[in-house]
């Protein structure tokens, strides 16, 4: 049983969904944070989800912080809160709005109305062109 920062090391942790190029290359974590997350992230995830039970006081404090969403006290807890913030909150911005769509519909209706062209020949006769 190997301990790292008070947590049992279970194996390397990767999040290919949110960080497909890795924690280090994402630009969100510095080198020490990315190494710490890779080393003990699997254990932190298991403790938070309840798949594992805490084995020492450090892990118990971490589980309590996750359950009651209290302020982080240690570097590991702050790192995990940062990771959770980056993976759970994704703002959605739409470039389409109802006003813009409405203007496009009006423009299409105007184009349809302008298809009938009335031309006058030099001799005074009218020619109506329906396209």
């Amino acid at each position: 049983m190997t301990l790292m920062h008070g947590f049992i090391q279970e194996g390397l942790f990767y999040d290919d969904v949110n960080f497909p190029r890795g924690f280090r290359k994402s630009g969100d974590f510095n080198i020490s944070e990315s190494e710490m997350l890779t080393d003990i992230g699997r254990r932190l995830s298991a403790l938070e989800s309840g798949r594992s039970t805490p084995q020492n006081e450090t892990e118990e404090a971490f589980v309590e912080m996750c359950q009651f969403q209290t302020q982080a006290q240690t570097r590991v807890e702050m790192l995990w809160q940062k990771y959770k913030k980056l993976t759970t909150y994704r703002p959605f911005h739409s470039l389409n709005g109802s006003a813009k769509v409405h203007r496009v519909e009006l423009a299409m209706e105007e184009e349809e109305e302008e298809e009938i062209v009335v031309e006058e020949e030099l001799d005074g006769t009218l020619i109506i062109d329906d396209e």
Side-chain angles (χ1 to χ4, degrees):
M1 176 169 82
T2 305
L3 287 179
M4 180 174 277
H5 299 283
F7 293 89
I8 298 171
Q9 189 175 8
E10 291 185 345
L12 299 179
F13 176 66
Y14 301 104
D15 185 356
D16 293 332
V17 174
N18 297 305
F19 301 98
R21 297 181 326 147
F23 299 119
R24 185 177 285 189
K25 291 185 180 181
S26 71
D28 295 315
F29 303 101
N30 61 34
I31 295 171
S32 65
E33 288 176 336
S34 63
E35 288 174 356
M36 188 184 313
L37 198 54
T38 302
D39 292 336
I40 60 173
R42 182 176 285 183
R43 180 68 177 174
L44 299 177
S45 177
L47 287 170
E48 182 188 34
S49 66
R51 292 188 314 260
S52 294
T53 57
Q55 300 296 318
N56 57 34
E57 291 178 10
T58 307
E59 291 184 351
E60 288 173 4
F62 176 79
V63 170
E64 186 176 314
M65 185 268 314
C66 291
Q67 288 176 347
F68 300 113
Q69 296 186 0
T70 58
Q71 186 67 26
Q73 301 297 320
T74 64
R75 282 184 58 204
V76 174
E77 291 174 354
M78 287 187 257
L79 174 61
W80 190 252
Q81 284 183 342
K82 180 180 180 179
Y83 169 76
K84 293 303 287 184
K85 181 181 177 187
L86 290 170
T87 58
T88 56
Y89 176 72
R90 296 286 184 191
F92 177 76
H93 300 287
S94 174
L95 298 177
N96 295 329
S98 61
K100 190 173 186 178
V101 172
H102 184 66
R103 278 187 258 139
V104 170
E105 290 174 356
L106 287 176
M108 292 177 66
E109 289 175 4
E110 289 175 3
E111 287 178 7
E112 291 174 1
E113 291 175 1
E114 292 176 2
E115 286 183 5
I116 299 175
V117 178
V118 178
E119 294 181 12
E120 187 173 342
E121 289 286 327
L122 291 175
D123 61 354
T125 59
L126 292 176
I127 301 173
I128 300 176
D129 184 17
D130 289 334
E131 291 183 16

